[in-house]
Amino acid sequence: MSQQQRRPWIVGVSGASGTPFAASVLRGLLAAGESVDLVVSRASRLTLLDETGIAFRDAHWQEDLRSWLARGADGKPDAFRPDVGGVRHWAAGDLAAGPSSGSYPAKGMLIVPASTACVAGVALGLSKDLLQRAASVTLKERRKLVVAVRETPLSGQTLKQMVALDEAGAVVLPASPAFYAGATHIQDLVDFVAGRVLDAAGVPHQLYRRWEGELGGASRG
């Protein structure tokens, strides 16, 4: 695909716990044939190191991303075989990057996981880094923005900021797994949340079993 034809989804990864959610969303986008522009915040790199042992480095981002996406939610390496050829990486501090401009072609943006600090920054229209700037651009251009909030409990101030995001046109999607899909492993619970993010974006996937109106269907499947 030529650069002129490329129209990616921007995926922002903030510092909240939940890097397996981001990995599952990224794998789902790539499996659907979507192009991805990736922004990994500085805080999220600390979380990624803590949760996976992987140090995400700008100079070696393809190698580090491949290791991250190959890892299962249970910590097992090489659980997946990701092809990261459809990904373009932008440093979080690069405010001159493509996604910082409304003229840059993008389908929309998915923030997963989204910390409460990220929620506040986007709701207030701040642009302290490329992740927040890209989210502000997404809103002003009336493109799809999905914010997968991962925090509990939620303060009143954060709830107000989530309402502000909803009123601005974003989809506020708490990272809340469900159990009707017949989950038997931690990866199933992670994939359910990732699948709901992709549902909100309108990206087809097969990450979880959908409700079909039959009680007990998952347990018999």
Side-chain angles (χ1 to χ4, degrees):
M1 181 181 293
S2 71
Q3 191 62 33
Q4 287 185 336
Q5 295 173 319
R6 189 175 183 274
R7 192 162 171 256
W9 283 98
I10 302 167
V11 176
V13 187
S14 79
S17 176
T19 55
F21 294 130
S24 184
V25 166
L26 287 165
R27 287 192 299 265
L29 287 169
L30 295 172
E34 299 286 347
S35 297
V36 173
D37 275 21
L38 178 63
V39 181
V40 181
S41 76
R42 292 178 180 178
S44 70
R45 298 175 193 223
L46 298 176
T47 306
L48 181 63
L49 181 62
D50 184 53
E51 294 184 344
T52 69
I54 297 171
F56 193 91
R57 303 159 294 175
D58 288 337
H60 304 279
W61 70 268
Q62 286 181 309
E63 174 187 346
D64 298 336
L65 177 62
R66 192 174 292 108
S67 296
W68 177 20
L69 299 193
R71 189 182 185 90
D74 59 1
K76 292 181 180 178
D78 302 320
F80 301 93
R81 296 184 178 276
D83 179 0
V84 300
V87 180
R88 182 174 185 178
H89 168 257
W90 299 96
D94 185 4
L95 290 176
S100 67
S101 172
S103 66
Y104 183 79
K107 291 184 176 180
M109 184 173 184
L110 315 176
I111 305 178
V112 53
S115 66
T116 53
C118 175
V119 168
V122 177
L124 295 173
L126 304 181
S127 295
K128 74 169 188 176
D129 60 11
L130 180 59
L131 193 158
Q132 290 186 8
R133 172 59 185 168
S136 294
V137 168
T138 301
L139 287 175
K140 81 180 183 68
E141 296 295 326
R142 302 296 191 266
R143 296 169 184 160
K144 179 73 74 175
L145 175 63
V146 182
V147 182
V149 184
R150 216 306 306 164
E151 185 58 272
T152 190
L154 295 169
S155 70
Q157 192 60 44
T158 297
L159 290 170
K160 292 176 183 177
Q161 291 158 352
M162 290 165 63
V163 170
L165 287 178
D166 177 79
E167 292 175 342
V171 176
V172 179
L173 194 152
S176 302
F179 297 86
Y180 63 77
T184 57
H185 299 90
I186 187 174
Q187 189 67 55
D188 298 328
L189 297 174
V190 168
D191 286 346
F192 178 87
V193 172
R196 295 298 287 149
V197 171
L198 295 179
D199 285 345
V203 176
H205 66 87
Q206 296 181 342
L207 287 175
Y208 69 87
R209 183 200 304 266
R210 296 186 180 278
W211 174 251
E212 295 180 349
E214 180 182 359
L215 292 176
S219 63
R220 292 194 294 272

